[in-house]
Amino acid sequence: MSNKNSNFPTNQKPDLKPGEMSKTVSLFDDLRQMPPVRKSDTARVEERVGQYFQFCEERDLKPSVEGLALALGTSRQVLWNWEQDSNSKAGQIISRAKLLINALLTDFTLNGKINFAYSIWLQKNHFGY
């Protein structure tokens, strides 16, 4: 049984204000409704990545690999596959986008904005730490 007085991440309850969940679902549903982008259409990949970061900036959302995948109409596993193809322009675009996400994640963690244990988990899963 977990310690009810612990700050350990598994004991953390969602801290949502009324209406916050519906607003967030609506925002991410906007991304879901964008048409998928093909790896071969590198101009569109570049444009959509830019649109995703602009979307996050305008709506005050933290960018994530999952959000990027949603904006591109694919999965994080497919993004990883694109990134591994270092000879493709799309792979290079995704690699640079993920570098930005990781830089933000690191900054948020160092400034106490994200729980360090969760940050470590994300960096191990998405960024090869």
Side-chain angles (χ1 to χ4, degrees), residues 75-86:
S75 68
R76 64 183 180 83
Q77 292 86 353
V78 169
L79 281 187
W80 185 84
N81 289 336
W82 290 7
E83 185 182 17
Q84 299 314 300
D85 185 2
S86 59

Side-chain angles (χ1 to χ4, degrees), residues 36-62:
V37 176
R38 292 179 180 254
K39 178 184 173 187
S40 59
D41 189 354
T42 56
R44 192 75 179 117
V45 172
E46 181 78 57
E47 179 184 12
R48 185 64 61 81
V49 167
Q51 288 174 335
Y52 173 66
F53 287 116
Q54 184 73 32
F55 181 90
C56 290
E57 185 179 334
E58 290 171 355
R59 290 156 181 86
D60 201 28
L61 294 172
K62 291 178 181 74

Side-chain angles (χ1 to χ4, degrees), residues 2 11 22 38-39 46 53 62 64 71 73 77 82 85 90 92 95 98 103 115-116:
S2 66
N11 195 42
S22 61
R38 292 179 180 254
K39 178 184 173 187
E46 181 78 57
F53 287 116
K62 291 178 181 74
S64 67
Q77 292 86 353
W82 290 7
D85 185 2
Q92 294 167 7
S95 180
K98 286 179 67 177
N115 180 288
F116 74 92

Side-chain angles (χ1 to χ4, degrees), residues 9 12 15 20 60-63 101-120 122:
Q12 186 174 350
D15 183 20
E20 190 174 358
D60 201 28
L61 294 172
K62 291 178 181 74
I101 292 169
N102 190 32
L104 291 167
L105 178 62
T106 300
D107 185 70
F108 293 148
T109 304
L110 291 173
N111 289 301
K113 304 289 184 191
I114 295 177
N115 180 288
F116 74 92
Y118 185 60
S119 178
I120 291 167
L122 287 171

